[in-house]
């Protein structure tokens, strides 16, 4: 499917509303002696984090300032995730709290956007149960936010825009990022894979790749601002370029990024195993800036379940990829996603997954209990295992993996690692924290001024979830 780029005219229309909002905000400031404040909250994946940066970019141009505290805000916006039920529950919980806030702050404007509200039944539920929400818009309407917000403020009635489109990319939306040494750059949007458990293709639309030049320009701008680590982002980066008119694939894009001066580290997420090419493995091996880290979601180790999940690979094919990656890049750090309790999964199927964990020995895993998503094919299947059995399997898997994590980390004892310093550790305020090339967390003592710098650390005390070391 061809990629629709938001036309200059469409974006010009949004800019017209940014200007109107700006005028309105200026009038507000004169009348009230303060600037209007916006509060943004993001749920879900990096894709959403990236969208919120665009929302903040547009709000900033429209004259808003920001507050971390919803209670002080004039405009609160939740950018939501639909991937599992608990992500949605969190947002419903927050909306409940806002109802009380709105009673004491009647002028507060509340907006909900993103993946969750792209589903019609959720949108309906919000309108019924949380009628204090003023504005609802889906992932396809992001660029229209200025107009929608302006209408909400003028018309004083609920504005909803969850129209679907065949996909659109706007290269013009301003981005407001915190200045950091690390940045995420979207290289494509949407997903074509329709794994039977997953809601993402329904709420994000089909795959659309950004043009390489737009990606390069964004990275160059980031580097000029001091960023050195770039993470390329897409639901399945391995199919990058398939929808473009030019002949380029993900490995080619990686090489181009590898050549950009000032970039020191390149990471990417997510790689679907069915599309992982030998060319990509060789590119990772040969390009010095590409971190030797691969996130390769397995989901299940049972061929029967993989088929029912519509994953398009077998356990054997998956293991063959892992073997090849380990052979070409022996220092590779491997991570994965696993779903436990897919409806038709039996304990024998689950044990096949455990076998893969024991064979691959991942550095870490992200494990999820299956969550039924309305409208997906798997939602119609009956469960074989009880909730209790599923939870027991889940705990068993964590035990197996915890032991592997510890053993893998112990291999790092006395090694010297280059670490990009993130800043003060979240768990111990007396320590700094950063990540190795392979993405492992390293804690060490040092001066805060090292934030954003690359330092050499000797690992002295490997732990289950992180490494401890000393500056050398
Ligand atoms: N595009 C990425 C993943 C996006 S969602 C990929 O294909 O790898 C991130 C993870 O959430 C998935 O890998 C999967 O493990 C998990 N997930 C998706 N839908 C889920 C569901 N209905 N229940 C539980 N976990 C789910
Ligand atoms: Fe969901 Fe599968 Fe697409 Fe990942 S590849 S976003 S799991 S449908
Ligand atoms: Fe991401 Fe959640 Fe949407 S995982 S793409 S924010 S459904």
């Amino acid at each position: 499917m061809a990629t629709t780029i938001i036309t200059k005219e469409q974006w010009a229309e949004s800019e017209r509303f940014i200007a109107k909002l700006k005028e309105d905000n200026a009038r507000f400031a004169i009348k009230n002696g303060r600037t209007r404040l916006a509060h943004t909250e993001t749920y879900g994946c990096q894709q959403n984090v990236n969208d919120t940066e665009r929302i903040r970019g547009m709000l900033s141009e429209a004259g808003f300032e920001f507050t971390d505290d919803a209670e002080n805000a004039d405009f609160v916006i939740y950018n939501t995730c639909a991937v599992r039920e608990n992500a949605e529950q969190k947002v419903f919980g927050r909306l409940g709290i806002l109802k009380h806030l709105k009673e004491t702050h009647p002028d507060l404007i509340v907006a909900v956007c993103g993946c969750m509200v792209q589903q019609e039944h959720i949108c309906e539920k919000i309108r019924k149960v949380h009628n204090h929400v003023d504005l609802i818009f889906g992932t396809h309407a992001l660029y229209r936010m200025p107009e929608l917000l302006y209408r909400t403020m003028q018309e004083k009635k609920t504005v909803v825009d969850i129209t679907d489109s065949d996909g659109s990319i706007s290269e013009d939306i301003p981005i407001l990022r915190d200045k950091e040494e690390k940045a995420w750059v979207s290289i494509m949007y949407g997903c074509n894979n329709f794994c039977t458990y997953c809601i993402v293709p329904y709420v994000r639309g089909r795959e659309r790749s950004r043009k390489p030049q737009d990606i390069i320009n964004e990275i160059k701008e980031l580097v000029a601002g001091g960023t050195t680590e770039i993470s390329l982002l897409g639901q399945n980066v391995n199919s990058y370029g398939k929808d473009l008119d030019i002949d380029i694939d993900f490995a080619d894009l990686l090489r181009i990024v590898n050549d950009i001066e000032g970039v020191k580290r390149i990471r990417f997420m997510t790689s679907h195993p069915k599309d992982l090419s030998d060319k990509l493995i060789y590119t990772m091996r040969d390009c010095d800036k590409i971190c030797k880290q691969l996130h390769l979601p397995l989901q299940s180790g049972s061929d029967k379940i993989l088929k029912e999940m519509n994953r398009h690979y077998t356990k054997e094919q998956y293991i063959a990829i892992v073997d090849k990656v380990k052979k070409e890049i022996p220092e590779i750090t491997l991570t994965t996603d696993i779903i436990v309790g897919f409806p038709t999964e039996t304990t024998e199927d689950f044990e096949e997954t455990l076998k893969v964990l024991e064979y691959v020995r991942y550095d870490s895993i992200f494990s999820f209990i299956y969550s039924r998503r309305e409208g997906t094919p798997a939602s119609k299947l009956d469960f074989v295992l009880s909730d209790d059995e599923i939870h027991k399997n889940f705990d068993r898997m964590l035990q197996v993996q915890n032991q592997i994590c510890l053993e893998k980390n112990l291999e790092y004892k006395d090694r010297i690692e280059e670490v990009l310093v993130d800043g003060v550790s979240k768990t111990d305020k007396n320590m700094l924290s950063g990540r190795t090339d392979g993405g492992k967390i390293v804690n060490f003592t040092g001066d805060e001024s090292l934030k954003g710098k690359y330092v050499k650390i000797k690992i002295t005390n490997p732990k289950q979830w992180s490494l401890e070391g000393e500056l050398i």
Side-chain angles (χ1 to χ4, degrees), residues 319-337:
I319 288 196
I321 298 171
V322 169
D323 285 345
K324 189 152 208 170
V325 171
K326 283 184 174 172
K327 177 168 167 272
E328 297 298 332
I329 315 166
E331 71 273 37
I332 194 82
T333 300
L334 284 167
T335 57
T336 198
D337 288 352

Side-chain angles (χ1 to χ4, degrees), residues 45 82-85 190-191 193 195-200 234-236 269-273 295-299 311 336-340 366-373 376:
C45 66
V83 81
R84 281 171 292 276
E85 196 182 352
C191 182
N193 293 309
C195 302
T196 55
Y197 50 81
C198 186
I199 196 74
V200 171
Q235 295 298 347
N236 176 18
M269 255 214 337
T270 300
S271 271
H272 196 304
H295 183 66
L296 196 61
L298 169 70
Q299 312 299 1
R311 289 291 287 179
T336 198
D337 288 352
I338 308 276
I339 296 177
V340 178
F366 298 88
S367 47
F368 310 102
I369 288 184
Y370 170 80
S371 169
R372 190 183 165 278
R373 304 287 67 210
T376 60

Side-chain angles (χ1 to χ4, degrees), residues 115-296:
C115 296
M116 196 173 143
V117 293
Q118 193 66 51
Q119 309 167 92
E120 236 169 276
H121 70 282
I122 296 280
C123 186
E124 279 311 304
K125 183 171 167 186
I126 292 179
R127 296 192 68 179
K128 253 194 217 135
V129 183
H130 296 285
N131 57 10
H132 57 293
V133 172
D134 306 287
L135 169 59
I136 301 175
F137 62 94
T139 56
H140 300 284
L142 185 73
Y143 79 98
R144 277 200 300 272
M145 189 206 69
E147 177 184 349
L148 299 172
L149 176 57
Y150 185 77
R151 274 178 45 207
T152 311
M153 287 161 84
Q154 298 301 310
E155 293 170 17
K156 305 237 179 308
K157 64 174 195 205
T158 313
V159 173
V160 178
D161 186 344
I162 58 162
T163 43
D164 218 334
S165 70
D166 61 348
S168 53
I169 294 182
S170 174
E171 291 296 345
D172 298 309
I173 302 181
I175 301 184
L176 185 67
R177 282 190 167 106
D178 292 334
K179 266 218 167 97
E180 290 287 353
E181 53 282 353
K182 302 202 276 197
W184 292 83
V185 173
S186 293
I187 61 164
M188 57 198 299
Y189 302 95
C191 182
N192 286 358
N193 293 309
F194 290 95
C195 302
T196 55
Y197 50 81
C198 186
I199 196 74
V200 171
Y202 302 90
V203 294
R204 282 279 172 183
R206 297 297 73 73
E207 273 171 11
R208 292 92 76 193
S209 303
R210 288 176 73 194
K211 289 199 200 105
Q213 199 52 52
D214 290 326
I215 298 169
I216 295 163
N217 291 347
E218 186 177 341
I219 296 175
K220 284 187 173 162
E221 246 173 64
L222 284 164
V223 170
T227 301
T228 58
E229 183 181 302
I230 301 291
S231 296
L232 304 176
L233 184 64
Q235 295 298 347
N236 176 18
V237 290
N238 295 341
S239 57
Y240 174 78
K242 284 187 182 162
D243 58 324
L244 293 175
D245 317 334
I246 45 171
D247 185 20
I248 184 167
D249 63 16
F250 182 54
D252 299 330
L253 180 71
L254 277 174
R255 279 195 188 270
I256 297 172
V257 179
N258 195 65
D259 287 341
I260 298 178
E261 214 176 305
V263 171
K264 285 204 65 170
R265 280 182 172 178
I266 306 164
R267 302 187 194 277
F268 54 87
M269 255 214 337
T270 300
S271 271
H272 196 304
K274 78 177 166 66
D275 298 312
L276 193 135
S277 63
D278 288 353
K279 182 176 169 189
L280 177 67
I281 300 176
Y282 302 143
T283 304
M284 285 184 77
R285 179 195 62 194
D286 298 341
C287 291
D288 57 329
K289 295 177 185 173
I290 303 178
C291 292
K292 306 305 177 233
Q293 173 199 12
L294 184 62
H295 183 66
L296 196 61

